[in-house]
Amino acid sequence: MQSEDTPSEAPRRNLVGLSREALAAEMAKFGVEPFRARQLWHWIYHRGATDFAAMTSLAKPLRDKLAAQYVLNRPAISRALNSVDGTRKWLLRFADGEEVETVHIPEEDRGTLCVSSQVGCTLTCSFCHTGTQRLVRNLGSEEIVGQVMVARDALGEWPSPQDDRQVTNIVLMGMGEPLYNYENVATALKIIMDPEGLSISRRKITLSTSGVVPMIRRCGAELAVNLAISLHAVRDDIRDRLVPLNRKYPIAALLDACRSYPRATNARRITFEYVMLKGINDSPSDARELVQLLVGIPAKVNLIPFNPWPGAPFECSSDAAIKAFSDIVFAAGYSAPVRTPRGRDILAACGQLKSASVRLRRGERLAVPAA
Ligand code: SAH
Ligand code: SF4
């Protein structure tokens, strides 16, 4: 037992992940003026400081006081993998031992960081590896922002560079359904977009959702980032089997939400993701129905070849089927690129993310309704 005169060590609070307002309020508690709080913000998110001692524009007594009460924690890297194609994947571990994956995909004109929003996912889409993970919890805003900061650390990108960045774009397409963790995702994205912070413009950020209709409106009004919809099927009976959330929010309701998404102009089109599953959703008539559905929506279509994972109950469509599908969508006036799978050798491609520490639930995984 602790004796009464031993001061108990209160855990130091992590300042990473607090909104600007919350950080200012935290600092005001012990008399730090707003402009100092702003300097602190700059150190954390522009300079990437991990240690208060490095914050030379703050007086030494203040630095000491901060260090006694707070930490600037990132998630720990428990494994880093590099693909032959340059893709990098980090398995990150949080304080409670849970893990998620973050992937960096370098391309000629950009570098995209694929960020996770939850440990696992409650939604069990039948073609997605993440949906087979048993444990699910929301990530805190610090755990979402922390993924970007870890990538910046690993890529040597501090202070936040103006040009020649390796992380130019962010996609919320890792593990989890971001609109099921809206508050924390929103706080994190505001930090990521802050021009005095991580400074990645909303035009370079894309949030992908399996179709949480009521939250799409809020996301548009408050964040106005680019939207991607995991459509994957053009008829409710098929989509019900692929994306079970469709039973709650069917295709018509989902497309209505897209039509009223505030930034759905031609310059900022909504991306419709469509995973190509052999014999399930990949026929020419599916493609023709797809273009009918999209009428009136500024849209582009992203065809994703199905990425297999051990025990997956689907096969990827043939190259010829994908090409034929893409041609039909393209002829109707929509761009329809086929997403080149990246990082397949390190299980970093779409739908392959799942921390290595978790085993597949064999029985449940195979209990997928037949096509
Ligand atoms: N939960 C969100 C975001 C993460 S998934 C969503 O579903 O939109 C990112 C994309 O990868 C989604 O379009 C998802 O449907 C797709 N995906 C999942 N598993 C896949 C797989 N095995 N092969 C190809 N794409 C997959
Ligand atoms: Fe969750 Fe998206 Fe995977 Fe569906 S596709 S299980 S919503 S992560």
Side-chain angles (χ1 to χ4, degrees):
M1 241 179 79
Q2 203 168 41
S3 81
E4 291 215 343
D5 45 34
T6 318
S8 61
E9 275 263 324
R12 289 179 296 161
R13 186 166 182 202
N14 191 8
L15 289 182
V16 172
L18 295 186
S19 67
R20 242 181 203 276
E21 301 72 39
L23 183 68
E26 191 70 24
M27 292 299 105
K29 276 189 202 160
F30 55 115
V32 175
E33 311 90 316
F35 87 98
R36 293 272 174 228
R38 195 167 158 183
Q39 284 180 326
L40 181 57
W41 177 271
H42 190 264
W43 278 110
I44 301 172
Y45 298 115
H46 181 76
R47 306 289 291 262
T50 52
D51 189 347
F52 294 101
M55 301 182 176
T56 46
S57 61
L58 303 179
K60 173 102 177 30
L62 175 58
R63 282 185 260 154
D64 292 344
K65 220 166 15 169
L66 291 174
Q69 303 224 19
Y70 302 105
V71 286
L72 296 169
N73 272 354
R74 332 271 216 236
I77 297 179
S78 72
R79 207 145 55 105
L81 293 170
N82 297 333
S83 162
V84 290
D85 69 15
T87 301
R88 296 172 74 164
K89 176 167 101 168
W90 296 282
L91 181 64
L92 302 180
R93 185 179 301 131
F94 303 116
D96 65 354
E98 293 301 335
E99 295 180 322
V100 298
E101 286 160 323
T102 304
V103 179
H104 181 249
I105 306 143
E107 288 172 275
E108 230 151 69
D109 58 338
R110 70 176 78 177
T112 302
L113 193 71
C114 182
V115 168
S116 295
S117 56
Q118 299 182 305
V119 172
C121 184
T122 49
L123 285 174
T124 63
C125 299
S126 48
F127 52 87
C128 174
H129 202 195
T130 302
T132 65
Q133 186 166 327
R134 189 187 299 276
L135 275 164
V136 179
R137 78 160 169 82
N138 282 337
L139 296 188
S141 55
E142 75 287 4
E143 294 170 328
I144 300 168
V145 175
Q147 295 172 61
V148 183
M149 298 172 89
V150 163
R152 283 248 171 106
D153 291 343
L155 298 166
E157 295 227 287
W158 300 112
S160 291
Q162 293 307 313
D163 328 288
D164 286 335
R165 291 182 177 184
Q166 296 185 72
V167 178
T168 56
N169 293 52
I170 305 271
V171 293
L172 278 149
M173 294 186 184
M175 296 166 70
E177 168 49 58
L179 295 186
Y180 268 11
N181 183 18
Y182 180 80
E183 296 296 341
N184 294 340
V185 165
T187 302
L189 286 182
K190 286 178 189 161
I191 295 172
I192 292 168
M193 295 189 288
D194 190 299
E196 292 179 26
L198 294 170
S199 184
I200 296 173
S201 138
R202 54 169 42 85
R203 283 171 292 124
K204 306 274 187 187
I205 298 176
T206 302
L207 183 147
S208 173
T209 179
S210 57
V212 189
V213 165
M215 299 309 292
I216 291 177
R217 185 180 297 276
R218 206 169 152 200
C219 175
E222 295 175 6
L223 302 172
V225 294
N226 299 312
L227 188 65
I229 300 286
S230 291
L231 189 64
H232 305 319
V234 292
R235 290 194 348 238
D236 282 322
D237 58 335
I238 304 176
R239 193 163 192 271
D240 282 350
R241 289 202 306 260
L242 299 179
V243 183
L245 187 65
N246 194 66
R247 295 178 200 144
K248 198 161 175 193
Y249 305 116
I251 294 174
L254 178 55
L255 295 180
D256 272 351
C258 292
R259 283 194 186 87
S260 48
Y261 195 74
R263 297 301 173 103
T265 63
N266 268 324
R268 303 236 357 239
R269 287 171 295 167
I270 294 177
T271 303
F272 288 86
E273 297 161 280
Y274 198 98
V275 62
M276 299 301 294
L277 302 170
K278 183 182 249 166
I280 308 272
N281 63 358
D282 62 348
S283 72
S285 78
D286 287 312
R288 285 190 290 270
E289 269 185 71
L290 176 60
V291 297
Q292 287 304 315
L293 281 180
L294 297 182
V295 168
I297 304 177
K300 54 188 168 183
V301 175
N302 216 320
L303 301 177
I304 317 175
F306 170 64
N307 285 310
W309 36 272
F314 296 105
E315 276 178 72
C316 184
S317 308
S318 68
D319 288 351
I322 297 176
K323 169 88 172 53
F325 196 105
S326 167
D327 287 349
I328 292 169
V329 177
F330 185 73
Y334 296 98
S335 110
V338 180
R339 193 183 287 174
T340 322
R342 298 290 302 265
R344 264 187 175 171
D345 54 336
I346 55 170
L347 281 184
C350 299
Q352 293 182 313
L353 298 187
K354 180 165 120 155
S355 43
S357 55
V358 182
R359 288 225 181 84
L360 292 177
R361 289 171 298 161
R362 219 182 164 70
E364 288 158 75
R365 188 188 69 227
L366 295 175
V368 170

